[in-house]
Amino acid sequence: MPQQLQGLIIPIGFLVIFYFMAIRPQKKKEQQIKEMRNSLRVGDEVITIGGIYGKIIKAKEDIITIEVGSSKTKLDMTRWSVGSVVSKNESKNNKTEEIKTEEDDK
């Protein structure tokens, strides 16, 4: 009996190590990307997975419209095509709250 258990310990150990080194970090990264794509707002500047740089001018459930180039060309894209956010658009409420806290500090 101990021989059979000893033969299973090494493969199980490799599976555990593989899980913590490969699968778990990949799931965390996918979750962060999903949260980033769900939090896209009008005014955010983004780079698509195809390398197109633009500013979001309209955001619906699954489709966003970005404005690119000096001619302000509008492109409709799906949310999953956004690769990264360059700069977030801060809402007016957040900016006024920051100004109030700075005035309170003085």
Side-chain angles (χ1 to χ4, degrees):
M1 200 71 165
Q3 285 285 5
Q4 293 173 346
L5 290 177
Q6 207 171 26
L8 289 176
I9 290 175
I10 292 175
I12 291 173
F14 279 125
L15 288 174
V16 169
I17 290 171
F18 182 73
Y19 174 78
F20 283 108
M21 299 295 286
I23 296 171
R24 191 166 178 236
Q26 181 65 26
K27 284 186 179 182
K28 277 187 171 182
K29 186 176 180 180
E30 287 175 6
Q31 182 65 27
Q32 289 174 342
I33 291 171
K34 185 178 179 182
E35 288 175 10
M36 178 267 302
R37 289 178 178 156
N38 287 335
S39 68
L40 292 174
R41 302 285 179 251
V42 173
D44 291 350
E45 293 180 2
V46 297
I47 298 177
T48 67
I49 56 176
I52 299 171
Y53 177 84
K55 184 176 182 179
I56 298 176
I57 58 171
K58 192 189 311 181
K60 294 183 182 177
E61 189 172 321
D62 288 334
I63 297 175
I64 60 170
T65 303
I66 64 172
E67 192 174 70
V68 297
S70 60
S71 62
K72 302 202 183 238
T73 305
K74 296 175 184 170
L75 300 173
D76 291 332
M77 307 184 130
T78 57
R79 281 188 185 263
W80 66 263
S81 66
V82 175
S84 63
V85 176
V86 176
S87 64
K88 293 290 266 178
N89 181 24
E90 304 240 349
S91 67
K92 292 180 182 178
N93 294 336
N94 290 342
K95 289 182 181 179
T96 56
E97 288 176 9
E98 289 175 7
I99 292 171
K100 287 180 184 178
T101 56
E102 288 176 2
E103 290 174 356
D104 294 339
D105 292 339
K106 292 180 181 178

